[in-house]
Amino acid sequence: MMKKIICVMIIGTLLICTFFVGCGKTEDGKVSDTNQNSGTNNNAESMLTNASENISSGVSEVSSDLSSAASEVSSDLSSAASEVSSDLTSNPKR
């Protein structure tokens, strides 16, 4: 479970880094032709889409694991409480 959390955090960090790499400074206010970079933009866009899908599926898996773990803990606590209760009723202290 911890590996999944670390993996999701690494993917998130890479996604954020990819975003900030695109924040470059333009040269002396010159406007460049965007048609030259259309292949690069599409490539970056597909990479971001894939990364966000991977993060989404990772978060879903972690959420599911946490939910099942919480359910198991709740069940264990309930059974422990009923055992303690039955012990107390069958062997009361004087």
mmCIF file of all heavy atoms in Angstrom, residues 34-47:
data_model
loop_
_atom_site.group_PDB
_atom_site.id
_atom_site.type_symbol
_atom_site.label_atom_id
_atom_site.label_comp_id
_atom_site.label_asym_id
_atom_site.label_seq_id
_atom_site.Cartn_x
_atom_site.Cartn_y
_atom_site.Cartn_z
ATOM 1 N N THR A 34 3.275 28.918 -34.293
ATOM 2 C CA THR A 34 2.860 27.775 -33.493
ATOM 3 C C THR A 34 2.736 26.507 -34.327
ATOM 4 O O THR A 34 2.696 25.414 -33.773
ATOM 5 C CB THR A 34 1.521 28.050 -32.788
ATOM 6 O OG1 THR A 34 0.539 28.350 -33.765
ATOM 7 C CG2 THR A 34 1.663 29.179 -31.792
ATOM 8 N N ASN A 35 2.678 26.608 -35.630
ATOM 9 C CA ASN A 35 2.554 25.428 -36.476
ATOM 10 C C ASN A 35 3.813 24.569 -36.414
ATOM 11 O O ASN A 35 3.751 23.373 -36.638
ATOM 12 C CB ASN A 35 2.267 25.815 -37.924
ATOM 13 C CG ASN A 35 0.880 26.391 -38.101
ATOM 14 O OD1 ASN A 35 -0.013 26.088 -37.315
ATOM 15 N ND2 ASN A 35 0.699 27.232 -39.102
ATOM 16 N N GLN A 36 4.953 25.154 -36.150
ATOM 17 C CA GLN A 36 6.192 24.388 -36.067
ATOM 18 C C GLN A 36 6.184 23.464 -34.854
ATOM 19 O O GLN A 36 6.783 22.414 -34.870
ATOM 20 C CB GLN A 36 7.394 25.334 -35.957
ATOM 21 C CG GLN A 36 7.614 26.169 -37.191
ATOM 22 C CD GLN A 36 8.729 27.182 -36.968
ATOM 23 O OE1 GLN A 36 9.261 27.294 -35.865
ATOM 24 N NE2 GLN A 36 9.072 27.910 -38.014
ATOM 25 N N ASN A 37 5.501 23.849 -33.818
ATOM 26 C CA ASN A 37 5.508 23.084 -32.572
ATOM 27 C C ASN A 37 4.263 22.227 -32.389
ATOM 28 O O ASN A 37 4.053 21.688 -31.324
ATOM 29 C CB ASN A 37 5.636 24.033 -31.377
ATOM 30 C CG ASN A 37 6.941 24.783 -31.378
ATOM 31 O OD1 ASN A 37 7.942 24.257 -31.826
ATOM 32 N ND2 ASN A 37 6.927 26.009 -30.895
ATOM 33 N N SER A 38 3.433 22.103 -33.402
ATOM 34 C CA SER A 38 2.177 21.370 -33.219
ATOM 35 C C SER A 38 2.420 19.909 -32.875
ATOM 36 O O SER A 38 1.709 19.342 -32.055
ATOM 37 C CB SER A 38 1.290 21.494 -34.454
ATOM 38 O OG SER A 38 1.901 20.856 -35.566
ATOM 39 N N GLY A 39 3.417 19.278 -33.465
ATOM 40 C CA GLY A 39 3.727 17.886 -33.143
ATOM 41 C C GLY A 39 4.200 17.751 -31.709
ATOM 42 O O GLY A 39 3.823 16.825 -30.984
ATOM 43 N N THR A 40 5.024 18.688 -31.272
ATOM 44 C CA THR A 40 5.522 18.678 -29.902
ATOM 45 C C THR A 40 4.390 18.915 -28.917
ATOM 46 O O THR A 40 4.316 18.264 -27.869
ATOM 47 C CB THR A 40 6.610 19.756 -29.715
ATOM 48 O OG1 THR A 40 7.621 19.563 -30.695
ATOM 49 C CG2 THR A 40 7.218 19.692 -28.345
ATOM 50 N N ASN A 41 3.498 19.853 -29.251
ATOM 51 C CA ASN A 41 2.369 20.143 -28.359
ATOM 52 C C ASN A 41 1.450 18.935 -28.222
ATOM 53 O O ASN A 41 0.974 18.635 -27.134
ATOM 54 C CB ASN A 41 1.584 21.352 -28.861
ATOM 55 C CG ASN A 41 2.341 22.649 -28.683
ATOM 56 O OD1 ASN A 41 3.257 22.729 -27.879
ATOM 57 N ND2 ASN A 41 1.973 23.657 -29.436
ATOM 58 N N ASN A 42 1.190 18.262 -29.350
ATOM 59 C CA ASN A 42 0.328 17.075 -29.301
ATOM 60 C C ASN A 42 0.986 15.973 -28.475
ATOM 61 O O ASN A 42 0.316 15.252 -27.747
ATOM 62 C CB ASN A 42 0.025 16.561 -30.712
ATOM 63 C CG ASN A 42 -0.898 17.483 -31.469
ATOM 64 O OD1 ASN A 42 -1.620 18.276 -30.874
ATOM 65 N ND2 ASN A 42 -0.874 17.388 -32.788
ATOM 66 N N ASN A 43 2.305 15.847 -28.625
ATOM 67 C CA ASN A 43 3.041 14.832 -27.874
ATOM 68 C C ASN A 43 2.974 15.126 -26.377
ATOM 69 O O ASN A 43 2.722 14.234 -25.574
ATOM 70 C CB ASN A 43 4.499 14.827 -28.339
ATOM 71 C CG ASN A 43 5.082 13.453 -28.403
ATOM 72 O OD1 ASN A 43 4.395 12.470 -28.197
ATOM 73 N ND2 ASN A 43 6.371 13.381 -28.690
ATOM 74 N N ALA A 44 3.208 16.374 -26.010
ATOM 75 C CA ALA A 44 3.161 16.759 -24.600
ATOM 76 C C ALA A 44 1.746 16.588 -24.047
ATOM 77 O O ALA A 44 1.557 16.142 -22.909
ATOM 78 C CB ALA A 44 3.627 18.197 -24.425
ATOM 79 N N GLU A 45 0.765 16.938 -24.858
ATOM 80 C CA GLU A 45 -0.623 16.804 -24.418
ATOM 81 C C GLU A 45 -0.977 15.343 -24.165
ATOM 82 O O GLU A 45 -1.629 15.015 -23.178
ATOM 83 C CB GLU A 45 -1.557 17.394 -25.467
ATOM 84 C CG GLU A 45 -3.010 17.427 -25.052
ATOM 85 C CD GLU A 45 -3.888 18.105 -26.094
ATOM 86 O OE1 GLU A 45 -3.460 19.124 -26.659
ATOM 87 O OE2 GLU A 45 -4.984 17.594 -26.327
ATOM 88 N N SER A 46 -0.539 14.449 -25.055
ATOM 89 C CA SER A 46 -0.840 13.029 -24.853
ATOM 90 C C SER A 46 -0.094 12.483 -23.642
ATOM 91 O O SER A 46 -0.615 11.651 -22.913
ATOM 92 C CB SER A 46 -0.513 12.217 -26.106
ATOM 93 O OG SER A 46 0.845 11.911 -26.198
ATOM 94 N N MET A 47 1.129 12.978 -23.404
ATOM 95 C CA MET A 47 1.867 12.550 -22.218
ATOM 96 C C MET A 47 1.149 12.990 -20.947
ATOM 97 O O MET A 47 1.037 12.223 -19.988
ATOM 98 C CB MET A 47 3.292 13.121 -22.236
ATOM 99 C CG MET A 47 4.215 12.433 -23.224
ATOM 100 S SD MET A 47 5.840 13.207 -23.345
ATOM 101 C CE MET A 47 6.412 13.169 -21.674
#
